[in-house]
Amino acid sequence: EIVLTQSPGTLSLSPGERATLSCRASQSVSSNYLAWYQQKPGQAPRLLIYGASRRATGIPDRLSGSGSGTDFTLTISRLEPEDFAVYYCQQYGSSPTFGQGTKVEIK
Amino acid sequence: EVQLVESGGGLVQPGGSLRLSCAGSGFTFSYYEMNWVRQAPGKGLEWVSYISNSGDTIYYADSVKGRFTISRDNAKNSLFLQMSSLRAEDTGVYYCARGDLGYCSGGSCYSHYWGQGTLVTVSS
């Protein structure tokens, strides 16, 4: 099983700032099959990124994914109020696993 | 518009059983591989089970193998999860989820569309 470790656990930032979220895999993720999700309280997760860097439909270009192999990053270039949430990475190159999440909170 | 609506959650005693359902609409259900994903209260996401579009291929997480059974009825655009020998650690919100055509790899998918979830509570 591939273990995904997300860091930091919590990111305290102000609107307009840049957010950098990390997802590190215990072994290489096949074909960079890595997705990112956003989840707000009481809501289902929302797909943001798949294939490590491909934005899902309707996702603004201030969100971007990068990385390969074992190290992946989600970047939010300028935080908007609606971006404060919990973010999860998921690998689907083998039996699916999720990271433990990074909470982006308002500073 | 793609919609997934789960039902069947509730309170059940340890060792009991429950059957979850998920009704899909707004897409050709029989084309898509489907998954169940769960989330314990205040915790992260955990993949539970996968079923191919035809129902011929099925996978389970080790934590539920031998206790849960996934199935589907394409004629009724429905996905099911039969849960038995339930434990306290099975408590959580269960989501039905759909990926995108051609983007599953050996039964492993990302999930583009999610239902609103149904809460399962295992407690005496």
Side-chain angles (χ1 to χ4, degrees):
Chain A
E1 170 181 300
I2 296 180
V3 176
L4 299 179
T5 301
Q6 292 187 240
S7 62
T10 301
L11 204 47
S12 299
L13 294 168
S14 300
E17 289 195 293
R18 181 184 187 89
T20 303
L21 287 67
S22 172
C23 177
R24 180 161 292 178
S26 60
Q27 55 189 281
S28 185
V29 176
S30 175
S31 303
N32 294 330
Y33 282 162
L34 193 287
W36 289 93
Y37 302 87
Q38 176 194 70
Q39 188 178 34
K40 297 181 179 179
Q43 296 184 16
R46 175 192 183 197
L47 177 69
L48 303 174
I49 300 286
Y50 63 96
S53 61
R54 303 175 72 170
R55 268 187 297 274
T57 309
I59 302 304
D61 59 9
R62 67 176 185 276
L63 278 77
S64 62
S66 62
S68 63
T70 60
D71 289 300
F72 299 88
T73 300
L74 176 70
T75 302
I76 307 172
S77 59
R78 296 173 312 279
L79 282 165
E80 298 285 342
E82 61 267 27
D83 297 329
F84 292 93
V86 178
Y87 292 82
Y88 294 96
C89 58
Q90 179 215 354
Q91 66 80 22
Y92 55 99
S94 58
S95 185
T97 53
F98 290 88
Q100 82 281 15
T102 290
K103 181 180 182 180
V104 178
E105 66 175 22
I106 299 176
K107 186 174 181 180
Chain B
E1 178 194 4
V2 173
Q3 283 200 318
L4 298 167
V5 179
E6 301 94 337
S7 60
L11 175 63
V12 61
Q13 292 189 336
S17 298
L18 211 54
R19 189 190 196 213
L20 305 184
S21 299
C22 170
S25 61
F27 64 102
T28 305
F29 187 82
S30 62
Y31 285 5
Y32 289 86
E33 297 154 283
M34 299 293 295
N35 286 272
W36 287 98
V37 178
R38 69 184 180 183
Q39 187 168 35
K43 302 296 184 182
L45 301 167
E46 180 189 16
W47 170 75
V48 172
S49 185
Y50 158 94
I51 187 167
S52 63
N53 62 323
S54 65
D56 289 348
T57 302
I58 285 171
Y59 297 108
Y60 298 100
D62 287 344
S63 57
V64 307
K65 202 172 294 182
R67 300 187 299 121
F68 289 12
T69 302
I70 191 172
S71 63
R72 65 191 296 161
D73 183 341
N74 286 340
K76 295 183 178 178
N77 296 334
S78 294
L79 175 72
F80 305 101
L81 186 68
Q82 178 68 47
M83 305 185 295
S84 60
S85 302
L86 282 162
R87 307 166 180 166
E89 54 265 35
D90 295 318
T91 293
V93 175
Y94 284 71
Y95 295 102
C96 149
R98 196 211 87 177
D100 290 327
L101 280 177
Y103 286 94
C104 288
S105 168
S108 188
C109 317
Y110 65 79
S111 293
H112 194 159
Y113 296 96
W114 299 67
Q116 84 289 350
T118 187
L119 177 62
V120 172
T121 303
V122 184
S123 174
S124 54

